[in-house]
C-alpha cells in the first residue's frame, strides 16, 4: 500500500493544458530549481542510497529463532528489485532541511519494513489475492498464508523498535523520535492505509479518491514527513511535506495505472483479474481523465516544494526530481516493478 516505481522504460506524455488543470504561479527561483532538477543525477542519488539502505536493512533483520519467521520477513523486506522509494524519500526530505542522513537511516529502514509488511498483507488471498510481487512469488506463495501473516505482523513492531534503538540521540532529540513513531502509526492504522484497503475491498460509489490517497498517498506522505521531523522541520514545513508526499504517492500510482492500461491495449483482461486488482482512476474515469489527474498532482507537489525554495535552495532538487520521474520514468531502478 504505497507508491511504486515501474522499471519500464515507458514514457508518459501528459497534456500540456488539461481541462481541470489548476494554474500554479511560479517564481523565477522555483523555475530555476525545476530546471536544475532535470539535470540532477537522480539515478545515482537513488541507487547510492539503495546500496546503503540495503546494507542497513540486512543488519536490522538478522535471522534468529524461530528462523522460519525471519526468513519470511527477510524475503519481502530485502527483496531483490525493490526500489526503496519510502526510505529514499525520507532521507531526501531530511537532507532538504539540513539534517544528516545518518539520522534518517533507522527511520528509513523502518519505513521499508512497514512497506514490506503492508505488501505481504495486501497480497494475501483474503485481500488483493496476488501470487506474485516484483516478478517473484508473493510471500504467502512461498511460506504459506499463516507464516506470511506472522512475518507482516513481526515487521511492523520491528520497525518501531529499530527507530528507538538505532536513531542517534546526538542527532535527533527524543521528542522528534516520538513524533516519527506516532506519524508512522497514524499512516498505517485504521484511519490510514488500513482504511484505504478496507474501502478498496468493500467498494462503493465515489470511493476512488479515498482509496488512492489512503493506499498510496499515505506512505509517500509519511516518508516525507518523517524526514522533516528528524531534521527539526517547523509546523508549516511539515504541512508542506505532508501535502507534497501525499501528492507524489498518488501520482506514482496513477501513472503506473495509465502505463499499465496502455500496455494492455489490444489484449483481453479477465474480469476476475480486474476485480482482484481493485479500482483505479483509469478504470473509473478513463485514461484521459487519469492523465489530467496526474498533471494536477505533479503541479501540486511542485507547488509545495516552491515554499522551500528561498530558504533551502538546491537542497530541494532531489524532491523536485522525484516528481518529474514519477511521470517521465526516464531510467530503471532494479530489475522489476514495485
Amino acid at each position: 500500500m504505497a507508491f511504486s516505481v515501474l522499471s519500464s522504460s515507458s514514457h508518459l506524455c501528459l497534456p500540456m493544458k488539461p481541462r481541470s488543470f489548476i494554474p500554479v504561479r511560479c517564481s523565477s527561483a522555483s523555475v530555476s530549481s525545476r530546471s536544475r532538477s532535470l539535470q540532477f543525477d537522480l539515478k545515482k542519488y537513488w541507487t547510492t542510497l539503495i546500496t546503503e539502505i540495503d546494507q542497513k536493512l540486512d543488519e536490522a533483520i538478522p535471522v534468529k529463532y524461530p528462523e522460519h519467521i525471519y526468513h519470511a520477513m527477510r524475503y519481502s523486506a530485502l527483496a531483490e528489485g525493490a526500489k526503496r522509494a519510502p526510505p529514499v524519500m525520507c532521507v531526501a526530505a531530511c537532507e532538504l532541511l539540513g539534517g544528516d542522513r545518518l539520522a534518517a537511516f533507522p527511520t528509513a529502514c523502518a519505513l521499508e519494513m512497514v512497506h514490506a509488511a503492508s505488501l505481504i498483507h495486501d497480497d494475501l488471498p483474503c485481500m488483493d489475492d496476488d501470487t506474485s510481487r516484483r516478478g517473484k512469488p508473493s510471500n504467502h506463495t512461498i511460506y504459506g498464508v499463516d507464516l506470511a501473516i506472522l512475518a507482516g505482523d513481526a515487521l511492523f513492531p520491528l520497525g518501531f523498535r529499530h527507530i528507538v534503538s538505532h536513531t542517534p540521540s546526538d542527532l535527533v532529540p527524543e521528542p522528534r523520535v516520538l513524533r516519527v513513531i506516532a506519524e508512522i502509526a497514524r499512516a498505517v492504522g485504521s484511519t490510514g492505509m488500513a482504511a484505504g484497503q478496507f474501502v478498496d475491498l468493500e467498494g462503493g460509489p465515489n470511493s476512488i479518491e479515498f482509496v488512492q490517497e489512503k493506499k498510496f498517498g499515505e506512505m509517500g506522505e509519511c516518508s516525507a514527513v518523517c524526514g522533516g521531523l528528524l531534521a527539526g522541520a517547523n509546523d508549516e514545513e511539515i504541512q508542506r511535506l505532508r501535502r507534497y508526499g501525499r501528492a507524489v504517492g498518488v501520482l506514482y500510482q496513477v501513472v503506473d495505472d495509465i502505463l499499465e492500461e496502455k500496455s494492455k491495449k489490444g489484449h483481453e483482461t479477465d474480469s476476475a483479474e480486474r476485480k482482484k486488482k481493485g479500482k483505479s482512476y483509469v478504470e473509473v474515469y478513463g485514461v484521459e481523465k487519469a492523465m489530467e489527474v496526474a498533471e494536477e498532482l505533479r503541479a501540486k507537489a511542485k507547488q509545495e516544494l516552491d515554499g522551500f525554495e528561498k530558504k533551502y535552495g538546491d537542497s530541494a532538487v532531489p524532491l523536485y526530481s522525484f516528481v518529474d520521474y514519477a511521470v517521465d520514468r526516464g531510467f530503471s531502478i532494479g530489475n522489476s516493478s514495485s
Side-chain angles (χ1 to χ4, degrees):
M1 291 185 283
F3 55 106
S4 62
V5 184
L6 289 175
S7 62
S8 166
S9 59
S10 300
H11 180 80
L12 180 63
C13 296
L14 294 176
M16 293 303 293
K17 293 182 179 180
R19 289 191 296 271
S20 57
F21 177 72
I22 303 173
V24 178
R25 296 180 60 186
C26 302
S27 67
S28 59
S30 69
V31 171
S32 177
S33 249
R34 294 181 189 191
S35 176
R36 287 193 294 272
S37 75
L38 297 177
Q39 302 171 353
F40 174 69
D41 193 344
L42 178 62
K43 183 175 183 178
K44 181 178 180 181
Y45 178 82
W46 203 324
T47 53
T48 298
L49 278 174
I50 285 177
T51 300
E52 295 180 85
I53 291 165
D54 281 352
Q55 178 182 344
K56 294 184 182 301
L57 267 174
D58 181 55
E59 297 169 355
I61 315 175
V63 177
K64 300 179 181 180
Y65 179 83
E67 293 85 356
H68 289 307
I69 293 179
Y70 285 94
H71 288 312
M73 293 163 65
R74 289 172 62 86
Y75 178 80
S76 293
L78 297 171
E80 182 181 351
K83 309 306 180 294
R84 311 299 184 215
V88 170
M89 181 174 283
C90 173
V91 172
C94 182
E95 291 184 326
L96 162 67
L97 290 106
D100 190 324
R101 67 172 53 178
L102 293 177
F105 276 138
T107 296
C109 288
L111 287 168
E112 191 61 26
M113 293 180 203
V114 167
H115 183 202
S118 72
L119 296 180
I120 292 172
H121 287 172
D122 270 10
D123 290 340
L124 292 170
C126 61
M127 295 293 179
D128 292 345
D129 192 17
D130 279 323
T131 58
S132 65
R133 170 70 59 180
R134 302 186 181 106
K136 295 185 178 181
S138 298
N139 196 293
H140 70 271
T141 305
I142 297 291
Y143 295 97
V145 171
D146 50 357
L147 195 53
I149 293 173
L150 291 175
D153 289 346
L155 280 168
F156 281 119
L158 180 60
F160 292 125
R161 181 180 178 183
H162 190 72
I163 293 172
V164 172
S165 60
H166 286 76
T167 302
S169 59
D170 58 327
L171 296 177
V172 185
E174 185 176 296
R176 295 185 194 172
V177 175
L178 293 175
R179 290 187 67 185
V180 165
I181 292 173
E183 178 64 26
I184 297 175
R186 181 205 62 76
V188 303
S190 57
T191 61
M193 292 158 63
Q197 180 67 8
F198 171 77
V199 175
D200 194 27
L201 291 170
E202 291 294 305
N206 305 316
S207 62
I208 183 62
E209 288 84 2
F210 181 88
V211 170
Q212 294 284 306
E213 286 200 0
K214 294 298 181 179
K215 285 193 68 171
F216 308 109
E218 284 285 357
M219 199 71 212
E221 175 182 338
C222 177
S223 301
V225 167
C226 284
L229 289 172
L230 292 165
N234 61 40
D235 289 343
E236 180 184 353
E237 291 168 338
I238 289 298
Q239 291 309 311
R240 285 193 176 277
L241 287 171
R242 190 175 297 285
R243 293 188 293 267
Y244 163 83
R246 180 174 291 259
V248 174
V250 178
L251 173 61
Y252 271 91
Q253 187 60 37
V254 172
V255 173
D256 277 359
D257 291 336
I258 293 171
L259 294 175
E260 182 178 359
E261 183 67 22
K262 289 189 172 184
S263 71
K264 290 190 302 188
K265 278 192 174 181
H267 300 282
E268 290 291 331
T269 303
D270 184 80
S271 59
E273 179 72 12
R274 293 182 68 87
K275 181 180 179 182
K276 181 183 73 172
K277 289 188 174 297
K279 289 187 176 181
S280 67
Y281 279 105
V282 172
E283 184 179 349
V284 175
Y285 299 120
V287 170
E288 183 178 350
K289 176 62 178 178
M291 291 175 71
E292 293 179 11
V293 170
E295 185 55 48
E296 290 175 9
L297 289 166
R298 174 156 67 175
K300 182 177 181 179
K302 289 191 174 185
Q303 184 179 36
E304 297 302 335
L305 290 180
D306 290 347
F308 294 105
E309 182 69 31
K310 184 175 181 181
K311 186 174 181 180
Y312 299 106
D314 284 354
S315 295
V317 169
L319 293 180
Y320 274 115
S321 298
F322 284 135
V323 181
D324 289 324
Y325 180 79
V327 175
D328 300 332
R329 311 297 169 97
F331 57 84
S332 298
I333 296 177
N335 54 19
S336 59
S337 61
S338 175

